[in-house]
Amino acid sequence: MNERPAKLFDKLITSVTSFVALMMPLFFLPITSDYFEYNKQALLISFTLFLLFVTAFKILYTKNVNFIKSSLNPAILFFIVVFALASFFSISKTASIYGNYGRWFPSLLGILVTALCYYALVLTDMTKQEVVQTLIFLLIGTTISTLTALLAYFDLNVLTSLRVPYGTQFAGSTSNSAILAAFAVVFSAGIYPSIKLLPIKLLTMLTIAVNLALLVLFNILSAWAFLAVGSLLILLITSRAKTKMVFKAVLPGTLVAIVLTIGMMSPNTKELLAKPDFPKDLKSDGMSSWVVASKTITDFPVLGTGPATYNLNYTRYRPVYINNTNLWNIRMDKPYNEVYNLMATLGIAGVIAFIFIAQRTIKAGTESILAANENTEKLVATLMIAMAITYVFTYANILNSFMLMLFTALTTIMAVKNSGVITQIIELKIAAIQKAPKNVGTNTGLLKSFHVFAAIPVLAVALLGSILFYRAYAAEYYFAGSIKAFAQGDGVKMYLYQQKAISYAPTRAEYRNAYAQTNMLIAQNMSAQEEPTEEESSIIQNAITEAVNQVKTSTEVLDPLNANSWELRATIFKQLLSVAKDADTLTIQAYENAIRLDPNSPRLRLDLGNVYFSQEKYLEAANLFRQAANLKGDYANAHYNLAQALEKIEKYDLAKTEYEITKRLVQPDSEDYNMVVAAIEALPEPQVAGTSDEKPTVEELTTQEPGPNNETQVTLQEPLKDPVLDPSIELDKVPTTETN
């Protein structure tokens, strides 16, 4: 083997790895609908494709093929097999393969990319200094991310020029920023004893203080878990003499943390430091996640519902007590932690795979710590173990999965350097094969070309991956462009960009749903004209037809188990009540399907009740409004609409009771309050004296259903709306058309 070219390839990989480690906490692009998570995944995919191309050229140039022998191999292989099988039998194959829209990881593609990146990295001949260098670059990127997150916390967001929401951070989320900060504290404290220069020591102490400050202010459990496990392991792996140096390094940061904690509790400084309105990740609680996961694994025991399908499980199985929280109208797409996610999406096989890979990871880290001769090797293994533990307290995303992959790869590289005690790189040398006994029947020509045959699959995977990646990214680029065009009032550009997005990713239901809405918007705007021309009427009819076709494809072919898609379908048909004679039936059917997929949603029943109310089927409407009120006792709109339906069927005493409940739920002296008071005053007197019970019962007054801890929460009310539909397309201006 020619050592010099191989080292040049390894140096190239090492340099790019350090750069990616620096950029991963910071990287974002404003050219996609999701600036952060999607582009961090794009960075990881680009990095992996780069590694594959370099590895293939390295094989061709050096004529040598290497394999890694590690105790992690069986666990990783088993995990990938389970993911592949679960994706094949998934209830939403597109989401399982490519990721749920907006939550791109974990998916089969994401797992494969992460695994390929890991194996390409571990075959790189890095020195111990280069391993530390990579982690230092990650530390630099993390600290920059932490500083910008702290600025965002105090409403000094450096990203405001991009018109991002308040609290947006480079890391993409509050949890990501906190976990990165925990890594920075652990790594800085662990490496401090080996630092010789005083300025670097002071800078390291400052780094610890800044990141500890973020941990205290953000207060994220998964980050505290990383810090606790990492700190404990550092104390165990550090000699007594160096332990004092570690305490010295963290002392300033600890003092800062104590001061901030006291300040957040002090009445004088609490308003400045404790910011309850600072946006944090929307996250399911542990109890609801357990309910969803346990019910899902009961119905889909072996392989679950498929990767990236938790959002579909949540709507079907979420407990009713969620309706008494401010998350009642949000369809969660991630559980409390990754364990529950794997239970629901990969079933029993996924749980076994998780336990297997977690056990092998922690065992490999422990063995590396025990076998290591230097603190640096032990520190890298410590980071791997601490990162793995965090998945008990949070769900997997692209950033924390990249961190786990990187720490695992660097631990494996360090283990190889440690005389190959635990992990070994096996060289498949052509010269060695050529020396095989003659009776084996080896073909010299084939042997000389063995490296070519080994490089071809690597190149093929890299090329295929590049094509698929280009198409996926192009689709997202055009879809994001359509959103910006809409904000700028450029309807033509929005329409054309959505067409391009669908052409690049035809299996994405989200793109088709957006395109359907765009076509309906075109139809609405053109039908608003006083006298549309014959050509304009034709455009309106074509737009309606296209909207219906797109939403049918979305619900019947691409995403039939998604309540969001069926709800959109109902909305589309609801706007056609004046246009198509069967639109009412199709609207009701779509809402009924949405309710079957999201049975505990009070809003869906309210919307369906509105449809019946518009048809003057007041009894059916009243029944649905009552169901909505039963699902969410403090749902003011449900009680208000129920009162109007009861008024229509002349149940004035019951209507008054519902109005009284509504009045207690809305803000006093508000417009809604005055509207309810006026409705009560307008009610006719009961025909029989003494039959009216103006006061609600105790059960009706007890509008909150306790949660798992017998706690209640006052939920925010939406503005009251009358149960009357106002179709956006006017019948007398648009030629009627069959919707099918």
Side-chain angles (χ1 to χ4, degrees), residues 646-675:
L646 292 170
E647 189 176 348
K648 289 291 186 181
I649 58 177
E650 300 181 355
K651 299 290 184 180
Y652 300 119
D653 53 343
L654 297 177
K656 187 174 183 179
T657 299
E658 295 301 323
Y659 279 134
E660 291 288 352
I661 294 175
T662 307
K663 190 171 71 171
R664 289 173 172 82
L665 291 172
V666 299
Q667 193 71 23
D669 299 325
S670 65
E671 184 179 344
D672 286 342
Y673 183 88
N674 296 331
M675 185 169 61

Side-chain angles (χ1 to χ4, degrees), residues 128-354:
K128 294 178 182 179
Q129 290 74 20
E130 288 170 336
V131 169
V132 174
Q133 168 192 298
T134 300
L135 292 174
I136 289 174
F137 272 96
L138 179 61
L139 175 64
I140 294 171
T142 293
T143 304
I144 296 173
S145 171
T146 296
L147 290 171
T148 56
L150 288 173
L151 290 174
Y153 186 81
F154 292 106
D155 205 12
L156 298 170
N157 202 329
V158 297
L159 299 174
T160 50
S161 60
L162 298 174
R163 298 179 181 178
V164 295
Y166 164 62
T168 304
Q169 304 147 53
F170 281 128
S173 70
T174 306
S175 295
N176 281 347
S177 294
I179 290 175
L180 283 168
F183 150 74
V185 173
V186 173
F187 178 66
S188 298
I191 205 171
Y192 182 84
S194 62
I195 299 175
K196 305 300 181 184
L197 298 176
L198 180 60
I200 304 300
K201 282 180 174 288
L202 294 175
L203 187 60
T204 303
M205 295 169 71
L206 179 61
T207 299
I208 293 173
V210 168
N211 285 283
L212 265 177
L214 183 137
L215 283 173
V216 172
L217 293 173
F218 282 18
N219 194 28
I220 303 297
L221 181 59
S222 55
W224 287 117
F226 188 112
L227 182 65
V229 174
S231 300
L232 178 61
L233 290 175
I234 283 180
L235 292 177
L236 292 175
I237 67 176
T238 307
S239 63
R240 288 188 178 182
K242 292 184 177 181
T243 300
K244 293 181 179 179
M245 300 178 69
V246 172
F247 281 120
K248 181 181 178 181
V250 301
L251 180 59
T254 304
L255 293 176
V256 169
I258 293 172
V259 170
L260 286 175
T261 303
I262 295 173
M264 293 174 74
M265 294 186 294
S266 173
N268 297 327
T269 55
K270 183 177 182 180
E271 186 176 346
L272 174 65
L273 296 176
K275 295 182 177 292
D277 294 333
F278 185 75
K280 292 188 177 181
D281 305 348
L282 283 178
K283 191 175 181 180
S284 296
D285 63 276
M287 178 59 73
S288 65
S289 299
W290 164 252
V291 170
V292 173
S294 59
K295 288 185 177 180
T296 305
I297 204 171
T298 300
D299 291 343
F300 301 87
V302 181
L303 290 170
T305 54
T309 57
Y310 183 83
N311 61 316
L312 306 180
N313 300 328
Y314 181 82
T315 55
R316 284 190 292 180
Y317 301 117
R318 64 172 174 169
V320 71
Y321 77 79
I322 294 296
N323 289 332
N324 298 321
T325 72
N326 285 328
L327 300 178
W328 71 274
N329 202 26
I330 297 175
R331 290 167 177 154
M332 306 297 288
D333 52 9
K334 288 286 187 180
Y336 175 75
N337 62 22
E338 192 58 26
V339 179
Y340 292 145
N341 187 42
L342 293 176
M343 279 180 61
T345 59
L346 299 184
I348 296 173
V351 174
I352 295 173
F354 176 79

Side-chain angles (χ1 to χ4, degrees), residues 544-556:
I544 293 172
T545 302
E546 188 65 31
V548 170
N549 289 338
Q550 292 296 331
V551 81
K552 280 187 172 182
T553 301
S554 175
T555 52
E556 296 174 10

